Amino acid sequence: MIGGLFIYNHKGEVLISRVYRDDIGRNAVDAFRVNVIHARQQVRSPVTNIARTSFFHVKRSNIWLAAVTKQNVNAAMVFEFLYKMCDVMTAYFGKISEENIKNNFVLIYELLDEILDFGYPQNSETGALKTFITQQGIKSQHQTKEEQSQITSQVTGQIGWRREGIKYRRNELFLDVLESVNLLMSPQGQVLSAHVSGRVVMKSYLSGMPECKFGMNDKIVIDKQGKAGASDEAGKSSGKQSIAIDDCTFHQCVRLSKFDSERSISFIPPDGEYELMRYRTTKDIILPFRVIPLVREVGRTKLEVKVVIKSNFKPSLLAQKIEVRIPTPLNTSGVQVICMKGKAKYKASENAIVWKIKRMAGMKESQISAEIELLPTNDKKKWARPPISMNFEVPFAPSGLKVRYLKVFESKLNYSDHDVIKWVRYIGRSGIYETRC
Amino acid sequence: MLNMTVIYFISYLYLRTSLKLMFAFCLHSDEGLSKHPVSLETLYPSIKIKVYFALFISGKSKEAEIKRINKELANIRSKFKGDKALDGYSKKKYVCKLLFIFLLGHDIDFGHMEAVNLLSSNKYTEKQIGYLFISVLVNSNSDLIRLINNAIKNDLSSRNPTFMNLALHCIANVGSREMAEAFAAEVPRILVAGDTMDSVKQSAALCLLRLNRTSPDLIPMGEWTSRVVHLLNDQHLGVVTAATSLIITLAQKNPDDFKTSVSLAVARLSRIVTSASTDLQDYTYYFVAAPWLSVKLLRLLQCYPPPEDAAIRGRLTECLETILNKAQEPPKSKKVQHSNAKNAVLFEAISLIIHHDSEPTLLVRACNQLGQFLQHRETNLRYLALESMCMLASSEFSHEAVKTHIETVINALKTERDVSVRQRAVDLLYAMCDRSNAKQIVAEMLSYLETADYSIREEIVLKVAILAEKYAVDYTWYVDTILNLIRIAGDYVSEEVWYRVIQIVINRDDVQGYAAKTVFEALQAPACHENLVKVGGYILGEFGNLIAGDPRSSPLIQFNLLHSKFHLCSVPTRALLLSAYVKFINLFPEVKGTIQEVLRADSQLRNADVELQQRAVEYLRLSCIASTDILATVLEEMPPFPERESSILAKLKKKKGSGTVSDMEDSRKERSTNVNGSNDHIVTTSPSSDLLGLGHTQAAALNSASPPVTSNAASLLVDVFTESLPVVPPTSIIEENFSRFVCKNNGVLYENQLLQIGLKSEFRQNLGRMYVFYGNKTTTQFLNFSASLVCQDLNIHTTPADPVVDGGAQLQQVFNIECLLDFVEAPVLSVHFRYGGSMQNISIRLPITLNKFFQPTEMTSQEFFQRWKQLGAPQQEVQKIFKAKHSMDTEVTKAKIIGFGTALLDGVDPNPSNFVGAGVIHTKTIQVGCLLRLEPNTQAQASCSVKRTHIHAALYTLMTINCNIDYCSTDISKGKIKIFKCIFKSQHSQNK
């Protein structure tokens, strides 16, 4: 279990230090600073073992969060906790920065007391936490004794993530499918690796204790239904419409037993914003863009680069925030760029040509060509040719996921599924989207 | 310019680590150059330098810094690439920036060419940055090195002192082999040239010092060395300081070349020492006149023995006295720098006094001075004082003076907070100990031992043991001390210590009774250390009878006392106790029953440990069947041990390295009057850790320790000791294959069922190298393997052989041979090793014969016979006529003659069937030319006549050998007898 948790600034100064177990000494704080933050070689592994003590760290901008333990813990659990911790802090005071942490350190200690007990993670649901951990920004409503006792029963009860007696005039529900698509492609256009990791994020403003049911075009479900209704709906649900999900994880509110038996996702939602599920797919991914690089070395002192990007989705859709990053050799002494669309610039500080296009419709093509002048060096090392990377945002899910339904049942209060206003949105973003050149 | 030199040397070290320092140095060096008033602003006017560098230093984060640097580098690249040529100023600016970025820890792979271009600039600042870049960034294998060397060469010959300085600094900072190769001749020339400026001389001296350190083999020693010595007389103190550093290093290598420096150094030193502090304006450091130079001069003097010239000697003594006097004066400043500088000179002076070790008054004064420091507030001073005193204690003049400080030192031991200082105090106590104060010192050390740091306990234990033994007046005190030692720090008492006690007790009759009594009393303690039990078991087993008369220590009580400790001990101790029990059976027949009962117990007879079980079984059986007479013989008292070097001393030496202790021991040995028999022959035999033979089974120990037993009672003991010890046969020198090697160098020399010895050798002139391979043919290890060579006329260096040869493995040993004189006897190689339980000794004659040192010489027929006739004197000729037992094959004979070492001269002898050879034997002292003629004669009768040369008894032997092997075997098949005549003629090389 987690023995302690430290937060450092970029200089390695400790901002927060909370030790849960005796086996973690004061020197652990320094050990991490010396061996990881101030290490000569940048430490890339998120898990570092120093003197039989394991350090798990995540970095948020300039801030290091490190969980420490002497035991053999489940590393995935520790990281899950650290991410959750970041979410909670963001929900409480916004961006995680040195200043914010310094301003909120009382709050952070209070949070740490609540969400970790003797190193065991406890309820880290932001909504639930906000009901009883209140500081500055989060004002406590004048709670009566009764309400306070209610908090206790709710937090310790079966449905810890939702309190009773919530009432809204308008029952609304927002559902976002957020996906990031990752790709590595060879110069010839062969896909070397590709996967989509997606999240279904919900914001629910529903009264009472509603029971929700979420349906999507999961291949297993569709096939099952297809078999059941083979006679009447044989042709309609074609294989293309369904997707194969490699693995998925759910919010704690989802009834896993039901998912296991019927593969249906049913739950009592928390109030406010939460992440319902996370999934990953690797098959039949729609790649929104194709990058075609052309690099030619002209002698020792010149390099010609031509990059073509093609958008590969419905012409009616518009991709946004497109950015292509073409790395340049380390001995570049000058760059001339010509591009048809958008703006391109050589950024010396990043050793790359950055080409930005605001909007681009589907089934279009655009091109950039650059001449790079090189300075002859005495180093015999050849340029490693890092891949060309790309950033974008598209209004569909590259995995092909579709929300089929989201039903809300509330038996006690009299509002039905039809009374709930539902919003669905798909956003596909680039993860690590690279093409070798 | 002094600043400059120092700064450049130091700055090189600091550059990589500290930016601030670097710029501080730059500032400094700029100030130092009054001729070139350069400020930072003129160096980098357009860069808002503070802003520029502040950005890096207080960078928000690593990422921001990298971004900034990438941008900066791209900018510089585009500038370097740009079409229009850069002017010197901006080139310098960008190279400087690159350098700075490199120092921040980023790779720089361009700009070298620009830096090299800067070297040819005529502006100081540009040149300076160019050199700085090159010293820091250019690695030695760069292809630019030729260009750089060229630029440096130009600057060196430029006669502009600043440029010369820059070039010299660059050479020194790079200091690579290539640099040394290129400038090793040039730099000394500059150093001693008459018209060189002082500052350049200074730099040249330091540069040469650096080159000498990196590649000493490349520095040519020539007439400049004598002129370097005269730099000690230079007007400029900076030059003198630099030159002294150089001379110290050179003098350590070839002291003879720099002998003349002694008088100059003394003169210089006396001038400094006697000068008023205001005389040496720039070189007075916190009221101390030229402390660095003084220290260096004193160091230089330490390379040589005391000067023989009385005048110089007197002057030096005067100097040293003045330094000692100055230490007494009240300090002129309260600053720590003042006292540090003063004390540095003082300590160096004291170590010179100690090094000379000839002036009693000085030594005593030094000792008194150090005595004052012993109570100084400064920890460092106390440490240094103790350390120097250690050295003083070993000098006969000051030993008594050191002794007066004993109270202070003991006090230091008790109250000092710093462990390293306490350690020195222990060392000093050990060094100052002699008969008069041994009791006090040993007592103090013992009492300190109880609270001593764990890290130095073992050493203290060894020291106490040695002192107690060395200065023991009566042995009761010795035994008491050692038992005390075991009681206080049992865990740190090594095997050697208690082996030694037992050795001494056994060898001294007068102490045995007392020892038994004391040990018995010590064992009464409820908890005693295992080492004490070992000593107790051994001593009571041997001498328990001496105290058995007292009813309080009757045999049964003794036995019960020992046996009460039995179960708490480890296996080796139990084994020892079992042996003690069986000795009890002999000493006290009345407890025989009790002991047999104990031995018969299941815990002994069926012990899981083989050793214990075997002892129990054998001892029980022995006690049952043997008569009292046999028991008495078998279990007789141990005979006295042969005297050897105290193994404790050996251990302490090993622990300390061959450093101070052993030196002190050696020097002290002559003085210490020995009380103690065992110390009289300190270096008789090599120390053995296994003094008592306890490593073998006790049964074997009993057997071998009392040789009469084996011979008297061997027949009776057969059933008890079934395994008899293998007896090593006396070995004779083996020569069987010797003659085979007269004409060849490689092959197998010796082989038996255990060992194979192979040879591989090569000879040139009077030198030779022989590889001896020892092959272990068995599957078990050879232990204690050693091979040594005995020889007089050959100078042989042997590489030590590994003491263990694994089964099937081969061990190589190399002999480097130098032939000093002509010799007759070939060296004998004696090989010893332990195989199984027995020692094997093999002595083999190594085939190193005089003819190995032959160099063949070619001669014409005329020359040969002219010489041949000249050498007619009877003592110059050896002749032998012998029977050939072989059919003579011409080719074989020819090969043999060549193999013998001489040149085979074809077509020289008018008779074609004769063989003629010539060669020169090289030894270190003389060279001897030899002529050889072999005349096969098919008809004559077999007879042999020999004439001996005055030089060569050796050649005679050789000839015999040669003849014998080559031809002396009968060829029965042909039924013929052939007779050859072989004539050696030899001659001193002087005669030629």
Side-chain angles (χ1 to χ4, degrees), chain B residues 624-777:
Chain B
C624 291
I625 59 167
S627 69
T628 41
D629 287 350
I630 292 169
L631 268 184
T633 345
V634 173
L635 302 169
E636 205 180 27
E637 202 173 284
M638 292 293 264
F641 286 92
E643 296 298 348
R644 3 189 177 187
E645 181 186 5
S646 166
S647 59
I648 315 175
L649 209 55
K651 174 147 185 186
L652 186 65
K653 276 184 197 169
K654 202 167 76 189
K655 212 168 135 64
K656 281 245 160 176
S658 54
T660 49
V661 175
S662 58
D663 296 347
M664 268 157 29
E665 282 311 319
D666 291 343
S667 57
R668 194 80 81 68
K669 227 170 276 160
E670 308 108 46
R671 272 184 286 118
S672 62
T673 41
N674 281 303
V675 214
N676 175 324
S678 60
N679 255 345
D680 287 335
H681 321 276
I682 271 182
V683 255
T684 42
T685 44
S686 62
S688 145
S689 58
D690 193 14
L691 286 172
L692 297 180
L694 287 177
H696 332 302
T697 62
Q698 189 77 3
L702 282 172
N703 215 342
S704 58
S706 46
V709 181
T710 20
S711 48
N712 295 347
S715 56
L716 294 167
L717 287 174
V718 175
D719 50 347
V720 185
F721 297 105
T722 42
E723 54 169 333
S724 65
L725 274 181
V727 182
V728 181
T731 49
S732 58
I733 298 169
I734 299 161
E735 295 188 5
E736 48 179 341
N737 284 343
F738 180 73
S739 48
R740 257 198 236 162
F741 283 87
V742 170
C743 293
K744 63 179 191 175
N745 286 333
N746 307 329
V748 175
L749 177 66
Y750 173 77
E751 191 162 1
N752 64 7
Q753 68 271 28
L754 302 178
L755 181 74
Q756 185 188 48
I757 300 178
L759 291 186
K760 210 172 172 182
S761 49
E762 55 195 25
F763 295 89
R764 181 174 302 150
Q765 303 210 327
N766 65 327
L767 300 176
R769 175 172 299 159
M770 180 172 273
Y771 298 89
V772 182
F773 300 93
Y774 306 96
N776 183 347
K777 289 168 69 181

Side-chain angles (χ1 to χ4, degrees), chain B residues 396-409:
Chain B
E396 61 180 311
F397 302 114
S398 55
H399 186 66
E400 286 305 314
V402 172
K403 269 167 66 182
T404 56
H405 299 289
I406 183 162
E407 290 303 330
T408 328
V409 180

